Amino acid sequence: MNKQPTDRRALIVGAAGFVGKYLADELNAAGGWSVCVTKMPQEALSIASVTAYDLNILDRAAVDTLLAELRPEVIFHLAAQSSVAVSWKNPGLTVDVNIKGTLNLLDAVRDCGFSPRVLLIGSSEEYGAVAPEEIPVKETTLPRPGNIYAVTKNTQNQLGRLYAQAYGLDILSTRSFNHIGPNQTPLFVVADFCRQVVEIEKGRHEPVLQVGNLSAKRDFTDVRDVVRAYRLLALTGEKGETYNVGQGKAVEINAILQMILSLSKETIQVEIDPAKLRPVDVPIIEADISKLQKATGWKPEISLGQTLEETLTYWRNQA
Ligand code: A2R
Ligand code: GDD
């Protein structure tokens, strides 16, 4: 893809995880963007027509240096400790990366001498245990974060709003609901279930699938729809605002499990693994996406069934 001098310069921070490559592909396919990405020094990342830089966001001086070198017009901040389960086990790391790391980025943007737009990727987990009458949640719903990851993402959101107000920075935030698709790590539920089914299909595991809390309801969107929302928000979202990014419909984890099991010919038993149950797991998280739709015209296009099929196929194609 030829980069034009007029292309918007995008920097994706934390691009070697699940979402980063999809976002780079989305920007490249849409055209009009010239894309650079960052990864942690130990991570491998190769994306066609994209330059990757090593960056640990806990190193403030390194953030300054990179911004001065690249002078991005839009920064997509994906870097995070992104797992709720891991945040219970490693709260210190989660606080460091998600709060101190974000602060380093915001301070670097404040001091860089130009005015990039920054899209901070937050989480639906920020809402926590809302009352039944507050479902689906709007951006104005009072957040009551119910786990360490959620607390850090809500702090990120508040820092973003504060820096936008106090310093006039062009910062906006998402609250992204569960996103899924091929290439996600099996720390997360759909990838975890698909990987286990394939292990059973390949005869590497007895036909018993280990699960956590099946009664939770979550709002799942294909990662390719999610990154399209991020691109559109970068173009037409409003400074200082927060946008829910989700499907707008919650589905019980048990229903997801049954859909995945129905895609396999194996007869598989389901067993609860107490280690997969969390100290707190809010019963339902469902998005009101009218604000996002009004701002961008976005709507999800990929069905849950298609995403589950493609994710299972992805795992079947792994060695
Ligand atoms: O922890 P690693 O080695 O997997 O690297 C992750 C990276 N990361 C960092 N990057 C720069 N400086 C740090 N100190 C640092 N710590 C972690 O951020 C990983 O490559 C990336 C995040 O990718 P995932 O964990 O796969 O998250 P995903 O699904 O791409 O979600 C993107 C955003 C995150 O902010 C989530 O909290 C949110 O969407 O849902
Ligand atoms: N991981 C996992 N494994 N979760 C399970 C399992 C299992 O075997 N069984 C049931 N669950 C339930 C969890 O208890 C939770 O209610 C739900 O499935 C989704 O869990 P995860 O897929 O681990 O995701 P998450 O909701 O904790 O966090 C993800 O979504 C957030 C947005 O809501 C991550 O992508 C976060 O980064 C993101 O912000």
Side-chain angles (χ1 to χ4, degrees), residues 89-266:
K89 294 178 187 136
N90 201 342
L93 173 76
T94 310
V95 166
D96 283 349
V97 176
N98 296 3
I99 299 180
K100 187 67 169 76
T102 296
L103 197 63
N104 280 342
L105 180 66
L106 295 180
D107 281 340
V109 166
R110 181 194 57 200
D111 297 343
C112 70
F114 56 98
S115 307
R117 163 156 275 213
V118 184
L119 184 66
L120 299 176
I121 306 304
S123 173
S124 57
E125 284 288 335
E126 292 173 48
Y127 291 112
V130 297
E133 63 273 16
E134 293 174 301
I135 301 286
V137 283
K138 288 181 182 300
E139 293 80 354
T140 49
T141 304
L142 177 71
R144 294 107 157 166
N147 60 64
I148 291 147
Y149 169 77
V151 167
T152 64
K153 284 289 178 175
N154 192 236
T155 304
Q156 169 180 280
N157 179 281
Q158 294 183 49
L159 287 170
R161 261 189 321 113
L162 185 66
Y163 272 53
Q165 278 168 13
Y167 303 119
L169 303 186
D170 186 5
I171 297 169
L172 58 166
S173 295
T174 71
R175 289 203 180 112
S176 304
F177 289 62
N178 297 63
H179 31 300
I180 51 174
N183 206 30
Q184 188 171 32
T185 150
L187 266 180
F188 299 107
V189 67
V190 167
D192 184 348
F193 290 174
C194 288
R195 188 190 63 85
Q196 289 190 62
V197 165
V198 169
E199 287 291 293
I200 292 165
E201 287 178 346
K202 291 187 176 172
R204 294 180 190 146
H205 201 281
E206 56 173 339
V208 180
L209 198 140
Q210 305 287 332
V211 301
N213 174 16
L214 293 183
S215 67
K217 292 183 178 161
R218 292 291 181 271
D219 186 318
F220 290 91
T221 307
D222 189 285
V223 62
R224 291 158 287 194
D225 279 331
V226 168
V227 294
R228 189 162 41 82
Y230 294 172
R231 175 175 63 79
L232 295 172
L233 278 173
L235 294 174
T236 61
E238 270 194 47
K239 171 175 159 178
E241 292 295 320
T242 296
Y243 296 90
N244 286 343
V245 176
Q247 188 76 214
K249 187 175 177 335
V251 181
E252 200 173 45
I253 303 299
N254 190 39
I256 302 263
L257 173 63
Q258 297 311 322
M259 286 172 82
I260 293 171
L261 291 176
S262 75
L263 295 170
S264 176
K265 294 198 183 81
E266 300 291 323

